Amino acid sequence: MADSPRQFDFLVLGSGIAGLTFALKVAHAGSVAIITKKSRAESNTNYAQGGIAAVTSEEDSFESHVRDTLTAGGGLCNEEVVRGIVEEGPARIEELIQLGMKFSERESHGHRELDLGREGGHSKRRILHAKDVTGREIERALLAAVGAHENITMLENHLAIDLITTAKLGQAQPNRCAGVYVLNNQTGQVETFSAPRITLATGGCGKVYLYTSNPDIATGDGVAMAYRAGATIANMEFIQFHPTCLYHPEAKSFLISEAVRGEGGELTNLRGERFMEGVHPLKSLAPRDVVARAIDREMKRSGDDHALLDITHKPARFLMDRFPNIYRTCLGYGIDITKEPIPVVPAAHYQCGGVRVGRHGETDLAGLYAIGEVACTGLHGANRLASNSLLEALVYAHRAAGHMLAHRPEPATAGLPKWQSGSATDPDEMVVVSHNWEELRRLMWDYVGVVRTDKRLKRAQTRVRNLQEEIQAYYWDFTVTSDLLELRNLATVAKLIVRSALERRESRGLHYTLDHPDPVDALAQKDTLLRRE
Ligand code: SIN
């Protein structure tokens, strides 16, 4: 089985909202394999607390949602893309509801209506949510539908290693994507998959930073593979730091949703001073880049190792009902959010750049599409507006499916070679991998974090280059493992983030550097594009 390529009409890498939605939309037209590196529900989507931003209320308007998105994006959004996604939003939401998604509702004048939350940068209440476990509920609904479809094969514990391109095979140009090498973690074998259309839906790269709200799977696999295969990568300097992750020695990656500030939560320092006053008219509910930088500044100024988020003025019953997951999780760490402020710190949260795509999620490598967080569509610009990403994932899954169904695929490329492990032996010292994981994540946090300088970025560049050399040598010498493959991807993504940050010689949105503190007119609307030589 491991010797001959497994053939499908559609290959999807990733099982979050984008990958699952896409799979459901193409499955009637052919066989679909969803390749996912852990269990099927283990995706960034699953951990989304806030919700999906969409215009569903009569008090809201497309114009207002577009304006808020453009404002957050710091002059770098593609307005046409923004408008398209915002206007298509309600139809995609309706499909999700038809599929079984249950959003929170409330009683209003004797009838039930969607309960709309508010988050930073939004001038209206427009966040559809399922209490504070929106992502979990989305995954539940989508996985139930996927599980019931006979054309969809779900391959869990399968980690994609690299895309197979015709250029790599030495075949005639133009280059196109023909398949994927995949490590089957159940057997330890590398399998070859062939498909004329491959969709990256692999999520983001939060694990490249020491502190992140993301789960362990977020290792930038899609961006790294696409870059190695020759696709264009855009705007990787724009990494969004969420202002409020739980600060507790035992808590790993637990987010305190922005919706808590949307319901009136106030940020203070450890002396109870509201340091957001005077920073931004929206105070604690300012856009994320502003809030994350203000917390960072306040912590550096005071020497405190965290800030506080206080929502104790709200009735305990309301908090337990609106934020059951946050309430229970914090209580598990000994923090009763109804009675005391929550200790918080900023942490890496969202990758606003990614594999550059056109209107239908198509990359510039034929046969390869990218949707969801892995893609850079032009929606987020220099800073993502809260809860816009799940909407973008729905819209682009729909468009990519439509595009593929409307175009006859190239025939599958014949003769994909099987994986060559050469003279690789079993790894001798896994300490090399664990040490490099830690070093990479710490240096990215220290030198390429919320506030940057040229000197720190150059330092990071040298360190990342050294790590990459060591990882590459290890990669050639030893049989591949998940940890090694993820580390290799993280190092590639780290290189792309640092290079992009060095190229943007201004401060804009999420990229803030003390050496170039102001935005530069000539760089407005200019994406940072990287492509492997
Ligand atoms: C949150 O709940 O604060 C996260 C929402 C988002 O990142 O869009």
Side-chain angles (χ1 to χ4, degrees), residues 13 28 36 39 58 68 77 79 86 110 181 226 274 325 354 382 411 460:
L13 309 186
H28 67 276
T36 188
S39 73
E58 280 175 9
D68 291 345
C77 302
E79 185 167 344
V86 164
Y181 289 121
R274 296 184 171 186
N325 184 32

Side-chain angles (χ1 to χ4, degrees), residues 114-334:
L114 288 167
D115 180 39
L116 300 176
R118 192 164 171 208
E119 291 180 2
H122 287 275
S123 54
K124 298 276 184 217
R125 282 191 170 266
R126 63 168 72 99
I127 317 295
L128 288 88
H129 62 96
K131 295 193 184 277
D132 61 353
V133 286
T134 310
R136 205 183 296 167
E137 172 59 17
I138 291 173
E139 284 284 303
R140 182 203 58 72
L142 289 172
L143 282 171
V146 161
H149 209 297
E150 57 181 14
N151 275 0
I152 302 179
T153 305
M154 175 77 74
L155 295 156
E156 295 174 295
N157 296 308
H158 281 62
L159 171 63
I161 303 175
D162 259 323
L163 300 168
I164 307 170
T165 60
T166 51
K168 277 191 205 160
L169 298 177
Q171 294 185 1
Q173 299 294 340
N175 191 19
R176 59 176 295 109
C177 193
V180 190
Y181 289 121
V182 177
L183 173 64
N184 176 341
N185 270 318
Q186 279 142 358
T187 62
Q189 297 293 311
V190 176
E191 298 174 3
T192 309
F193 286 77
S194 154
R197 293 158 298 196
I198 295 169
T199 303
L200 295 174
T202 46
C205 67
K207 291 299 276 191
V208 78
Y209 285 96
L210 190 58
Y211 301 110
T212 175
S213 63
N214 293 183
D216 288 346
I217 46 126
T219 52
D221 305 334
V223 165
M225 283 190 290
Y227 175 74
R228 287 195 291 267
T232 300
I233 309 297
N235 292 351
M236 287 299 288
E237 66 273 38
F238 299 116
I239 299 291
Q240 186 170 71
F241 291 83
H242 196 291
T244 59
C245 272
L246 180 62
Y247 176 80
H248 186 279
E250 282 150 39
K252 187 178 158 200
S253 318
F254 187 69
L255 189 69
I256 305 298
S257 174
E258 199 155 290
V260 173
R261 280 174 285 131
E263 296 298 346
E266 291 276 5
L267 285 161
T268 74
N269 60 21
L270 301 194
R271 285 153 297 290
E273 292 153 0
R274 296 184 171 186
F275 57 84
M276 288 306 295
E277 309 272 340
V279 172
H280 192 279
L282 290 170
K283 300 180 189 161
S284 290
L285 210 51
R288 281 187 193 168
D289 57 327
V290 177
V291 182
R293 270 199 301 280
I295 297 179
D296 188 71
R297 198 166 42 240
E298 184 61 23
M299 282 166 49
K300 289 204 168 92
R301 190 193 63 75
S302 62
D304 296 342
D305 47 15
H306 64 278
L308 295 171
L309 178 60
D310 193 350
I311 184 90
T312 52
H313 61 281
K314 284 285 194 184
R317 197 40 40 229
F318 168 79
L319 293 178
M320 289 180 211
D321 182 55
R322 175 66 178 85
F323 302 112
N325 184 32
I326 295 175
Y327 171 73
R328 269 197 309 272
T329 305
C330 287
L331 206 56
Y333 292 114

Side-chain angles (χ1 to χ4, degrees), residues 25 48 98 102 178 197 214 236 260 286 319 324 343 440 488 499:
K25 284 175 180 271
Q98 292 307 322
K102 297 210 178 337
R197 293 158 298 196
N214 293 183
M236 287 299 288
V260 173
L319 293 178
L440 183 73
R488 174 174 173 249
R499 255 182 70 190

Side-chain angles (χ1 to χ4, degrees), residues 391-410:
L391 184 70
E392 180 193 48
L394 286 175
V395 169
Y396 273 71
H398 177 80
R399 289 189 187 174
H403 195 250
M404 287 185 219
L405 295 175
H407 293 86
R408 188 191 292 274
E410 294 283 322

